[in-house]
Amino acid sequence: MLAAWLTGCASLPSEVDRPVSTALANPEQTRIGHAVQQRAAKAGTRNDSGFALVNSAELAFTSRMALIGAAQKTLDIQYYAIHADETTDRMFDALRAAAARGVRIRILLDDFNTAGKNAQVLKLAFEKNIELRLFNPLPGGRGSLFFRILGSLKDVDRIQRRMHNKIFVADNAVAITGGRNLGETYFGQGEATNFIDADVLAAGRIARELSQSFDQYWNNPLAYPVQSLMSAEEIAALKPPPAQPAGAPAPAGGEAAPPSTPAGVAAAAQAAPRTVTALDGTVSAIEPLPDSTNLALLEWTWAPSTLLVDKASKIAADADDVQASQDTTVDGLLQLMAQAKSDLLIVSPYFVPGRRMMDQLAAIRQKNVRIRVLTNSLASNDAPAAHVGYARYRKELLRLGIELYEMRAEQEGTLSGFSSLGSTGSAGGSRASLHAKIVVLDGNLLVIGSMNLDLRSQLQNSEVALVIRSRKLSDDTTRLIEPALAKGAYKVELDKGQLVWRAPEGSQLKDSRTEPDASLGLKLMLTLIGPLAPDEML
């Protein structure tokens, strides 16, 4: 009855004012654009796009902050999720400062994760020189995601279709794209979970193409200005009370000391020490994230490239039409993979191939191409239901000769080599979850973006990826991934027809014949849901 009432009441506004705007027309006239031209001239290259890998949590944060600080005209930001936390607050403070000096800021955010605490990111829409639009919004209140979904049950298919693109462009000259959303768990600052992720900085022509794709989504009828959906007062009313440490008295006024105050800094300094592990397995102590970095110090590689990006209309299209068209980012990636001659290295957090993709992988293996796949284990997967879809294909994948590696969730007392981008030093330990989306083909072609190799990315979500032909970038990326295969993952094999998880060599862990490190509840879920859930829902 509650669901029926909510679905009957929830609706989106029919008359929406969404002024059309586009990316900066003359990026070369900005400081960033001029610097890109100078770097290209100095390199003496005929390629019109330059790239630099973003392979650490700290660089992921500082590079974005550096672009905010350097932007003179525009910042275009498109994400699936922006979490309300201290890391995002620092980035938003920088955005406000950029807006105050006259930079036009456009933020396009998928609407699925804007309930509860995360609704506070929407306050930015009411700042001068900042526009914030929500893509494919869910009708109804934002008090909790659960009730928002209930309020949209009349259109379950539309709920499933999400804008998953991740793009960050400064002055239409330099961009960042890859797997990361915005929030502390993507920048190695999470207390319980941190994501292993990767991005790439892109400059020149390819950045302008990313801006063009942003404009297509920004000016789409599914993009709703926040002001058309709720007021600033309604957002403020959703603000949760400040969290207090257990047993600690509340400061005067009832609020916790802000982290930027001396009291807040002192409290942070007394926190338990934490460590951070980069993608290549090197470990160091977590330091407070700096606010900027000199991007000019990065090593840029100029190389041929192309952009794979889904049309905004994919979100509104029928799933059967999308499948029939075979014109999506994932379809383009599969066509590239089919050209492999010797080696495919695949990193996909959620790996649910489906029948058609399995046939394509089998055809690639028939050419004697080596295929290695790094994905999440059941224990490390932040979306265990996705593991259900992967598990049903696991034995068939192994019989095809595909090498499967499942990333090990970090457990207290079992750290060995590569584990995560960030871990707590508390007695409870922390959990690592793979989130990077990468394909390296024949050691010469690198694909990095927002897409997973699953039916959700292929048929339901919109995605974006860069395809870069560069042996250097491909080799550099492979050198980052291979330590994860050797030290941070279980290798899954078949032994007399049964699955066995081989522990990383030298880790002092034991092989396992059941999902390693996973709780009984997760294993039970795998058994109960496995035969029932359709691939495209996982």
Side-chain angles (χ1 to χ4, degrees):
M1 291 175 62
L2 177 61
W5 176 75
L6 286 169
T7 54
C9 293
S11 62
L12 293 171
S14 56
E15 299 294 329
V16 176
D17 181 26
R18 50 172 73 83
V20 174
S21 61
T22 56
L24 182 66
N26 300 301
E28 68 280 356
Q29 296 179 6
T30 66
R31 181 171 51 203
I32 301 177
H34 183 62
V36 170
Q37 289 185 322
Q38 285 186 317
R39 292 296 294 268
K42 184 177 180 180
T45 179
R46 291 183 295 177
N47 294 307
D48 55 14
S49 300
F51 304 92
L53 290 177
V54 180
N55 53 33
S56 73
E58 179 176 319
L59 183 58
F61 182 81
T62 57
S63 58
R64 287 166 172 84
M65 293 293 280
L67 290 181
I68 295 172
Q72 290 179 295
K73 297 292 185 180
T74 62
L75 285 162
D76 292 330
I77 300 169
Q78 180 180 13
Y79 280 94
Y80 168 66
I82 301 178
H83 299 292
D85 54 41
E86 290 184 13
T87 303
T88 300
D89 285 345
R90 289 173 59 181
M91 194 171 291
F92 280 10
D93 285 343
L95 288 173
R96 292 185 182 96
R101 64 176 187 265
V103 177
R104 183 199 70 182
I105 299 173
R106 299 184 296 173
I107 302 174
L108 184 59
L109 176 63
D110 184 86
D111 190 46
F112 192 75
N113 293 286
T114 60
K117 176 185 176 182
N118 291 331
Q120 296 308 304
V121 304
L122 305 182
K123 293 187 298 184
L124 214 59
F126 299 88
E127 302 274 352
K128 184 179 179 181
N129 283 344
I130 300 178
E131 296 178 78
L132 200 162
R133 294 183 182 181
L134 297 174
F135 201 85
N136 193 20
L138 305 182
R142 299 176 184 274
S144 73
L145 179 59
F146 174 75
F147 284 109
R148 292 194 77 203
I149 294 175
L150 278 180
S152 303
L153 287 180
K154 61 183 178 182
D155 197 357
V156 174
D157 187 60
R158 189 176 67 83
I159 299 175
Q160 293 287 322
R161 299 176 179 277
R162 308 316 316 170
M163 183 193 75
H164 200 238
N165 312 40
K166 288 117 177 170
I167 296 174
F168 196 112
V169 189
D171 285 342
N172 199 16
V174 176
I176 303 174
T177 191
R180 281 184 180 86
N181 295 297
L182 300 185
E184 60 186 15
T185 58
Y186 298 95
F187 298 121
Q189 300 293 300
E191 290 290 339
T193 301
N194 283 288
F195 290 111
I196 295 172
D197 222 322
D199 297 316
V200 63
L201 275 157
R205 184 262 311 162
I206 201 72
R208 296 191 294 273
E209 290 190 10
L210 285 165
S211 290
Q212 290 172 6
S213 76
F214 177 94
D215 286 346
Q216 291 176 5
Y217 282 82
W218 180 261
N219 296 310
N220 190 276
L222 287 177
Y224 286 69
V226 168
Q227 291 86 342
S228 70
L229 300 171
M230 60 192 313
S231 67
E233 291 75 20
E234 289 172 321
I235 297 172
L238 294 172
K239 186 174 183 179
Q244 297 293 328
E255 295 196 6
S260 58
T261 65
V265 172
Q270 294 174 1
R274 292 183 284 159
T275 59
V276 58
T277 307
L279 199 57
D280 61 1
T282 57
V283 182
S284 59
I286 286 184
E287 300 291 344
L289 288 171
D291 284 340
S292 64
T293 189
N294 190 345
L295 297 183
L297 298 179
L298 293 177
E299 182 180 4
W300 290 81
T301 299
W302 299 85
S305 61
T306 190
L307 175 67
L308 298 178
V309 61
D310 287 323
K311 299 175 182 176
S313 57
K314 178 183 178 182
I315 302 298
D318 182 85
D320 292 335
D321 293 337
V322 173
Q323 188 163 14
S325 71
Q326 297 188 29
D327 186 28
T328 70
T329 294
V330 173
D331 286 314
L333 175 57
L334 291 171
Q335 291 169 20
L336 288 172
M337 289 166 51
Q339 300 174 24
K341 297 179 180 179
S342 60
D343 186 84
L344 266 179
L345 177 57
I346 299 169
V347 179
S348 182
Y350 318 120
F351 184 53
V352 187
R355 191 69 263 152
R356 195 178 75 178
M357 199 181 300
M358 286 295 297
D359 292 341
Q360 291 169 306
L361 291 171
I364 296 170
R365 279 291 300 144
Q366 286 178 354
K367 299 187 299 179
N368 203 31
V369 174
R370 183 188 188 190
I371 302 178
R372 291 176 291 172
V373 177
L374 174 63
T375 190
N376 273 308
S377 63
L378 178 59
S380 70
N381 205 320
D382 70 312
H387 192 83
V388 171
Y390 155 69
R392 64 177 54 141
Y393 293 101
R394 195 159 37 191
K395 287 186 178 181
E396 185 178 354
L397 288 163
L398 291 170
R399 292 189 182 105
L400 286 174
I402 294 173
E403 301 171 43
L404 295 181
Y405 295 85
E406 296 182 7
M407 205 199 74
R408 181 167 57 87
E410 185 181 48
Q411 302 292 332
E412 184 69 17
T414 62
L415 296 179
S416 175
F418 164 85
S419 57
S420 73
L421 284 177
S423 61
T424 65
S426 61
S430 71
R431 177 173 166 272
S433 187
L434 184 67
H435 201 259
K437 303 97 163 56
I438 300 169
V439 172
V440 182
L441 187 151
D442 291 339
N444 190 45
L445 196 71
L446 170 65
V447 185
I448 185 168
S450 67
M451 71 293 150
N452 295 290
L453 279 178
D454 64 2
L455 295 187
R456 182 173 293 278
S457 284
Q458 186 175 21
L459 302 178
Q460 296 176 324
N461 292 347
S462 66
E463 307 288 355
V464 61
L466 295 186
V467 182
I468 309 166
R469 185 169 295 281
S470 167
R471 184 163 297 279
K472 182 185 185 307
L473 289 175
S474 298
D475 287 347
D476 289 347
T477 304
T478 300
R479 282 195 294 269
L480 288 169
I481 297 170
E482 286 185 334
L485 305 181
K487 299 179 181 179
Y490 288 93
K491 186 177 183 182
V492 188
E493 298 178 350
L494 281 176
D495 181 15
K496 299 179 180 179
Q498 300 301 312
L499 294 172
V500 57
W501 285 259
R502 301 296 184 191
E505 187 175 347
S507 67
Q508 299 182 341
L509 298 172
K510 295 181 179 180
D511 293 350
S512 176
R513 292 189 175 271
T514 62
E515 304 276 354
D517 302 330
S519 66
L520 178 61
L522 284 175
K523 294 177 182 178
L524 185 62
M525 183 204 71
L526 189 68
T527 302
L528 296 178
I529 297 179
L532 305 175
D535 289 344
E536 60 271 14
M537 296 291 288
L538 302 174

